[in-house]
Amino acid sequence: MKIDNFKAETWMTLHENNCLYNLADACAQSLTLDELLNFSQDKETKIQDILNMKLDYGPIEGSHQLKQGILKLYQTGDDDQIAITHGGINANELVLISLLEPQDHIITITPTYQQIYSFPQSLGVSVDFVNLKEENDWLPSIYEFEKLIKPKTKMICLTTPNNPTGTTFDKTFLEKLVVLARKHDLYIFCDEAYRGLGENEVSISDIYEKGISTAGISKILSAAGLRIGWIKTPDKNLIKMINERRDYHIISSGSLSDYLACVVFQHYDQIIERNKSIIQENKKYFKSWLKDNPLVSCVIPDHGTVCFLKYHLDIPSAVLAEKLQQDTGVFFVPGACFDLEYHLRFGLANNPQTVKKGLTLFGNWLKTI
Ligand SMILES: Cc1ncc(COP(=O)(O)O)c(C=O)c1O
């Protein structure tokens, strides 16, 4: 099975570890284990629980407590409507591989997270794209999806908030999309890895019987290292089918990750508040930085942790990102990794000190070229 190179992942693997100022990270500033346990009144008990823990497979399909924690992100659902996975990336893979067959057709957006289209293409699925346009604040119309529907269309795939543009598909938009999907009996699959930092961010799994949501604790909950993700859908048979396939992929997420992910959800409100305030501080700085740096513009999103900077220079994005990193240590993911030139992916929830220093260096560097 041939598969296209995952461009953003490859870029990060090659460049991320030798940068000084990572301005591209999509995860809200990761927690240390100590910071996580410090949220608890009973830190010592938790440390003892961890030290006494048997390093076995743990609850194979994920613990009840973990699934109840995950439901904090949804308005509806119970344990049977959730499958626990190895991060959101494995959740996406399991949804796509369980439902799609060669010759099926799906519709998604571009630019977006490459897994959503390259992985299905590797299965022999054909993909059509709705182009998100910056001049429309990256928001498409329902008609753009409608006109791409074919007899073989099985699924509409969205990432909301989107990576890299940060676009949120709000309740009104999703409700209209549900009407369209229902008419053609289509699944709507939403990668919701970045959902949960804003008010009024609806999950497709709460409003559509063939809606599938995937997410994880990496981005808005700052715990990527635990590798916990999930799939949620009202369709219990689909969860059963996915769990049967999941047996071939991951067996379990492991007792330690399950336990610590439950701790993350015990302190859900505190972690979300922490990350909202990081984003607020960074956005404030970034807005004033933009005023001083007319070579860069950006549609700043309401939600999520990432946005897509546009720079007004005729230099290919990979060349610019590489040179910038060499000269200053500032790291971005170039737009080329998302098939859109003259852009850079910027993470709005990174450590504010890093963001301020990195943007200052970037601004000074722009003046020298
Ligand atoms: C849209 C989107 N989905 C899923 C993932 C995978 O996240 P994880 O496997 O860490 O939960 C990412 C990571 O960058 C992402 O941007």
Side-chain angles (χ1 to χ4, degrees):
M1 173 177 104
K2 281 196 176 159
I3 189 156
D4 283 346
N5 188 6
F6 201 145
K7 292 185 226 117
E9 292 300 328
T10 308
W11 186 272
M12 289 189 283
T13 307
L14 283 175
H15 297 87
E16 200 172 36
N17 290 334
N18 51 16
C19 73
L20 297 175
Y21 305 96
N22 186 339
L23 297 197
D25 197 344
C27 300
Q29 187 182 345
S30 296
L31 291 162
T32 63
L33 189 49
D34 197 40
E35 280 172 308
L36 174 62
L37 294 179
N38 279 340
F39 283 122
S40 296
Q41 304 289 338
D42 57 347
K43 180 178 177 184
E44 282 312 313
T45 316
K46 289 201 163 76
I47 291 173
Q48 280 314 311
D49 286 351
I50 293 168
L51 293 178
N52 293 331
M53 187 175 290
K54 251 193 175 172
L55 294 177
D56 56 11
Y57 285 112
I60 297 295
E61 290 190 354
S63 65
H64 167 67
Q65 203 191 347
L66 176 57
K67 291 180 183 178
Q68 289 302 303
I70 288 168
L71 288 174
K72 288 184 197 230
L73 274 157
Y74 298 91
Q75 282 161 6
T76 63
D78 58 43
D79 284 21
D80 298 349
Q81 295 170 335
I82 298 172
I84 303 294
T85 61
H86 185 83
I89 196 155
N90 174 235
N92 292 347
E93 176 203 7
L94 286 170
V95 168
L96 296 165
I97 207 167
S98 301
L99 288 175
L100 299 176
E101 295 180 46
Q103 270 77 58
D104 280 343
H105 171 250
I106 64 170
I107 300 166
T108 190
I109 51 176
T110 186
T112 197
Y113 190 57
Q114 190 182 340
Q115 185 193 19
I116 304 297
Y117 53 91
S118 287
F119 185 68
Q121 282 169 335
S122 78
L123 303 173
V125 170
S126 69
V127 182
D128 272 314
F129 295 92
V130 168
N131 285 301
L132 305 185
K133 299 193 186 78
E134 196 157 12
E135 58 272 27
N136 297 337
D137 291 342
W138 304 113
L139 278 168
S141 72
I142 296 289
Y143 173 66
E144 290 174 82
F145 289 87
E146 187 168 18
K147 69 183 184 195
L148 295 176
I149 294 175
K150 300 174 179 174
K152 290 259 181 191
T153 308
K154 192 176 252 179
M155 188 182 272
I156 295 175
C157 306
L158 295 179
T159 302
T160 178
N162 188 30
N163 175 10
T165 60
T167 318
T168 296
F169 295 92
D170 68 8
K171 187 163 187 263
T172 314
F173 182 92
L174 288 178
E175 281 173 352
K176 285 187 198 150
L177 198 67
V178 165
V179 172
L180 178 68
R182 211 174 257 139
K183 185 167 145 204
H184 296 273
D185 194 28
L186 309 178
Y187 288 101
I188 302 180
F189 160 39
C190 288
D191 178 331
E192 299 174 0
Y194 298 92
R195 188 182 67 87
L197 288 167
E199 315 301 320
N200 238 337
E201 284 180 282
V202 171
S203 169
I204 197 65
S205 69
D206 286 330
I207 62 167
Y208 183 37
E209 61 283 0
K210 289 187 79 168
I212 305 163
S213 155
T214 58
I217 58 174
S218 299
K219 309 298 179 187
I220 66 159
L221 289 166
S222 303
L226 297 179
R227 306 309 301 130
I228 292 286
W230 59 86
I231 300 160
K232 180 184 168 268
T233 172
D235 183 347
K236 294 185 179 182
N237 288 331
L238 178 55
I239 291 295
K240 192 167 169 289
M241 183 174 122
I242 286 173
N243 275 333
E244 281 163 11
R245 188 172 281 272
R246 181 184 169 281
D247 287 339
Y248 285 96
H249 289 251
I250 65 162
I251 305 183
S252 77
S253 296
S255 36
L256 188 57
S257 284
D258 192 300
Y259 179 89
L260 289 172
C262 290
V263 179
V264 167
F265 280 108
Q266 279 164 21
H267 302 290
Y268 175 84
D269 291 338
Q270 288 147 290
I271 299 173
I272 294 290
E273 276 319 305
R274 164 195 186 264
N275 291 343
K276 276 185 180 172
S277 91
I278 290 176
I279 293 173
Q280 203 180 14
E281 184 176 343
N282 286 338
K283 273 189 180 167
K284 192 168 161 220
Y285 186 82
F286 179 46
K287 281 180 190 165
S288 72
W289 181 89
L290 281 174
K291 284 192 195 134
D292 296 337
N293 290 278
L295 283 178
V296 181
S297 59
C298 183
V299 177
I300 300 179
D302 292 335
H303 307 308
T305 64
V306 291
C307 63
F308 216 24
L309 302 185
K310 182 173 170 101
Y311 59 86
H312 304 273
L313 288 167
D314 192 13
I315 306 174
S317 58
V319 174
L320 185 140
E322 208 140 48
K323 179 94 177 83
L324 173 68
Q325 188 170 344
Q326 259 170 26
D327 293 350
T328 64
V330 173
F331 171 80
F332 284 109
V333 177
C337 293
F338 298 92
D339 298 324
L340 196 64
E341 271 304 346
Y342 308 119
H343 286 80
L344 300 167
R345 190 190 66 197
F346 173 41
L348 288 160
N350 291 304
N351 179 319
Q353 297 324 106
T354 309
V355 168
K356 286 176 194 166
K357 180 79 186 159
L359 283 178
T360 305
L361 287 170
F362 180 35
N364 292 341
W365 182 83
L366 283 171
K367 290 179 188 113
T368 66
I369 52 164

